[in-house]
């Protein structure tokens, strides 16, 4: 069965468009609620499936924030991020199930094994990259066992031990008995875990011909693959490129130092690889429409699809040909970019777009 395209958007910079250009220690963890509500409302109008609720010491708690926002919105879902090292899987399932009861099932999960050893230590987590992924596999095995509701959950691994586990609060949704699970990562470990325990693997993009062999193991398990990518699209290619150039011209060289320092501290394979691509002095264009020019100023998630409405639709259909079926977007500013996408690009994708 053909997988239709679905679209999600990050809520992380609503009210602070260029927060990723700032040092982590200066980023506020107090949400701009009015800006977040406005972006969510526009997302509902634009047919966006869900909003990513990011996690970290520079942000409010994603689950509590999702609950508050859901009370003010009607359709949009919330993709709640979780790091397995911060919470027991039993308690996490209980919390997600409770949230589903309160918001009529408008909940997805974004599982992230982490990207900054320094920040992990703030929370008492001292595992290395590979150990974190091993723990993630155990975490999801336990969560899925609870959601399958096949009796008491018993599990003994290297990181978790559960004995006769019970949760009397079920996941409530008009569509499913468990939340959709997205797992982020560019590593082989991420692909393996997503193939076993998740519904969709999030990863950074590359040229389709390079990306295709890297995602085959996930697709062969019957799971989906989505791209975490930023977006700059305008009616013409020239306007889109001009908007991209205007974006980077606003930053000073000292911004590069902030981003470079972050990437030095990160052990994420995806973040490292995208940042390395952005250091190519010959060209910032990986494909005619995939651009790394903003990465030195805004970090790896700023790898961007840049182009006219027609060319972005063309690029997305090329990715669809290798079975990329979901997108998690950001833009500068988000509401403007979301509007361009919904009004200019989505109509060109026609019947391959899922109804929201």
């Amino acid at each position: 069965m053909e997988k239709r395209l679905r679209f999600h958007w990050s809520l992380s910079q609503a009210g602070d468009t260029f927060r990723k250009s700032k040092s982590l220690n200066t980023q506020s963890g107090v949400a701009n609620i009015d800006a977040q509500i406005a972006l969510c409302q526009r997302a509902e109008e634009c047919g966006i499936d869900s909003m990513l609720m990011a996690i970290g010491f520079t942000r409010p708690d994603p689950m509590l924030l999702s609950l508050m926002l859901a009370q003010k919105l009607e359709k949009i879902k919330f993709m709640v991020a979780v790091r397995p090292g911060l919470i027991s899987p039993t308690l996490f399932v209980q919390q997600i199930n409770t949230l589903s009861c309160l918001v009529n099932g408008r909940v997805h999960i974004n599982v992230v094994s982490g990207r900054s050893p320094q920040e992990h230590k703030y929370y008492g987590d001292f595992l290395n990259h590979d150990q974190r992924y091993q723990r993630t596999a155990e975490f999801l095995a336990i969560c899925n066992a609870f959601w399958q509701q096949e009796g008491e959950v018993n599990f003994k691994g290297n990181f978790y031990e559960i004995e006769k586990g019970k949760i009397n609060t079920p996941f409530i949704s008009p569509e499913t008995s468990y939340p959709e699970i997205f797992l982020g990562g560019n590593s082989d470990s991420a692909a393996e875990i997503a193939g076993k325990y998740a519904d969709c693997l999030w990863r950074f993009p590359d040229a389709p011909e390079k990306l295709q062999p890297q995602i085959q193991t996930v697709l062969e398990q019957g799971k989906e693959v989505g791209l975490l990518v930023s977006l700059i699209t305008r009616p013409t290619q020239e306007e889109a490129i001009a908007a991209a150039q205007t974006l980077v011209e606003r930053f000073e060289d000292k911004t590069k130092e902030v981003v470079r320092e972050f990437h030095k501290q990160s052990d994420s394979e995806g973040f490292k690889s995208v940042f390395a691509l952005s250091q190519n002095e010959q060209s910032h264009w990986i494909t005619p429409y995939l651009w790394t020019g903003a990465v030195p100023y805004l970090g790896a998630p700023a790898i961007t699809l840049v182009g006219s409405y027609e060319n972005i639709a063309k690029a997305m259909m090329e990715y669809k040909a290798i079975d990329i079926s979901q997108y998690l977007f950001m833009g500068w500013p988000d509401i403007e970019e979301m509007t361009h996408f919904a009004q200019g690009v989505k109509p060109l994708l026609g019947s391959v777009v899922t109804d929201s």
Side-chain angles (χ1 to χ4, degrees):
M1 181 177 179
E2 182 184 35
K3 294 184 175 67
R4 296 183 178 274
L5 297 181
R6 293 167 58 196
F7 310 110
H8 313 263
W9 213 277
S10 175
L11 192 66
S12 65
Q13 56 191 25
D16 189 5
T17 299
F18 302 109
R19 66 177 279 135
K20 293 184 182 295
S21 67
K22 304 173 184 177
S23 167
L24 287 174
N25 290 327
T26 66
Q27 294 180 20
S28 173
V30 178
N32 184 326
I33 299 303
D34 290 341
Q36 293 195 341
I37 291 173
L39 181 57
C40 290
Q41 289 173 334
R42 190 72 186 106
E44 288 190 335
E45 296 165 356
C46 291
I48 301 300
D49 181 288
S50 74
M51 306 301 293
L52 173 65
M53 313 299 290
I55 192 169
F57 82 102
T58 66
R59 307 179 185 283
D61 177 78
M63 200 170 308
L64 291 175
L65 183 59
S66 297
L67 177 59
M68 185 279 296
L69 291 172
Q71 310 306 310
K72 300 179 181 296
L73 296 142
E74 297 179 359
K75 297 184 297 182
I76 199 76
K77 296 177 182 176
F78 298 90
M79 188 183 296
V80 179
V82 60
R83 291 180 187 163
L86 308 187
I87 188 171
S88 83
T90 307
L91 178 58
F92 178 69
V93 171
Q94 185 177 21
Q95 289 183 332
I96 286 293
N97 288 1
T98 301
L99 180 61
S100 76
C101 296
L102 299 174
V103 302
N104 195 31
R106 289 185 286 145
V107 184
H108 299 323
I109 296 171
N110 185 51
V111 181
V112 286
S113 295
R115 65 191 184 196
S116 172
Q118 179 178 330
E119 182 186 354
H120 301 162
K121 294 173 184 177
Y122 298 170
Y123 295 91
D125 184 3
F126 287 81
L127 299 188
N128 63 35
H129 177 276
D130 292 344
Q131 290 171 326
R132 295 199 305 271
Y133 272 103
Q134 292 165 13
R135 179 178 59 194
T136 294
E138 292 189 10
F139 182 90
L140 285 175
I142 295 166
C143 290
N144 283 335
F146 277 115
W147 283 316
Q148 288 166 6
Q149 300 179 22
E150 295 178 351
E152 295 177 345
V153 173
N154 292 281
F155 184 92
K156 188 171 185 179
N158 294 322
F159 303 95
Y160 299 104
E161 182 173 357
I162 306 296
E163 182 176 324
K164 298 182 179 180
K166 298 179 182 178
I167 294 175
N168 288 348
T169 304
F171 186 86
I172 301 296
S173 167
E175 302 169 353
T176 179
S177 60
Y178 58 89
E180 192 167 356
I181 300 172
F182 296 78
L183 186 140
N186 275 41
S187 67
D188 291 341
S189 297
E192 181 181 357
I193 295 169
K196 290 181 179 178
Y197 301 113
D199 297 287
C200 179
L201 172 69
W202 282 134
R203 56 162 298 141
F204 291 122
D206 204 334
E209 64 274 14
K210 292 182 180 180
L211 187 59
Q212 186 172 24
Q214 300 175 29
I215 63 176
Q216 282 309 301
T217 57
V218 180
L219 296 172
E220 288 168 0
Q221 296 294 321
K223 306 304 176 67
E224 295 188 56
V225 178
L227 298 183
L228 194 165
V229 63
S230 294
L231 185 66
I232 297 176
T233 186
R234 299 292 184 272
T236 69
Q237 187 70 20
E238 293 74 19
E239 288 176 278
I241 292 175
Q245 189 61 38
T246 299
L247 172 67
V248 298
E249 286 175 352
R250 67 174 289 115
F251 300 112
E252 301 176 356
D253 285 342
K254 63 182 181 182
T255 304
K256 288 185 176 181
E257 289 301 318
V258 171
V259 174
R260 187 178 293 113
E261 186 61 29
F262 172 83
H263 284 281
K264 283 181 181 178
Q265 297 175 5
S266 175
D267 62 358
S268 162
E269 292 188 20
F271 276 69
K272 286 181 176 179
S273 63
V274 171
F275 189 73
L277 286 172
S278 74
Q279 302 305 297
N280 185 341
E281 296 181 358
Q282 295 182 338
S283 176
H284 286 303
W285 295 92
I286 299 173
T287 74
Y289 314 117
L290 185 60
W291 179 68
T292 64
V295 171
Y297 304 97
L298 293 164
I303 187 170
T304 310
L305 285 172
V306 178
S308 66
Y309 300 155
E310 290 81 4
N311 285 336
I312 294 299
K314 176 184 176 182
M316 294 178 71
M317 293 306 294
E318 290 175 353
Y319 282 121
K320 189 175 187 302
I322 64 166
D323 289 324
I324 297 295
S325 54
Q326 306 211 38
Y327 287 85
L328 174 56
F329 287 127
M330 291 194 308
W332 305 282
D334 287 294
I335 283 185
E336 177 181 341
E337 213 57 63
M338 186 185 290
T339 302
H340 278 292
F341 174 73
Q343 295 180 353
V345 178
K346 277 185 69 179
L348 300 178
L349 297 171
S351 61
V352 300
V353 177
T354 188
D355 293 332
S356 60

